[in-house]
Amino acid sequence: GSESGTESGPTTVTIDWVIAPYDDVTVRVGDRVEFEYSPYHNVYVHPTHDCDTDGRVPVSDEGDGRGTYDFVEAGTVTFA
């Protein structure tokens, strides 16, 4: 991914969203993660921290091509 912003302000981390394993990414409260992808992909937050669909929350849908998630509190967030 790429980052933009200043050291003191929020940053945006851009992730090229494809079907692949990802390394962990650390961001701060106030930062944003932007997912960019081709058709037929989507992005969900998975509170179970795996790909279980129970309680998943949509970030973006297949037709969007892009989705963003703003970090408003500290913690681990799993996307799939």
Side-chain angles (χ1 to χ4, degrees):
S2 63
E3 296 182 25
S4 63
T6 64
E7 188 64 33
S8 62
T11 61
T12 298
V13 177
T14 302
I15 297 174
D16 183 21
W17 193 243
V18 295
I19 298 173
Y22 290 90
D23 292 330
D24 291 346
V25 175
T26 301
V27 297
R28 297 175 302 194
V29 172
D31 288 351
R32 168 178 281 186
V33 174
E34 177 181 67
F35 300 91
E36 295 180 344
Y37 55 89
S38 300
Y40 310 111
H41 289 280
N42 53 31
V43 181
Y44 287 90
V45 171
H46 287 266
T48 57
H49 301 290
D50 58 24
C51 288
D52 189 340
T53 59
D54 290 341
R56 71 182 181 174
V57 178
V59 174
S60 63
D61 202 358
E62 292 178 3
D64 296 341
R66 170 174 297 182
T68 59
Y69 183 86
D70 296 320
F71 285 82
V72 296
E73 61 185 17
T76 300
V77 179
T78 301
F79 299 97

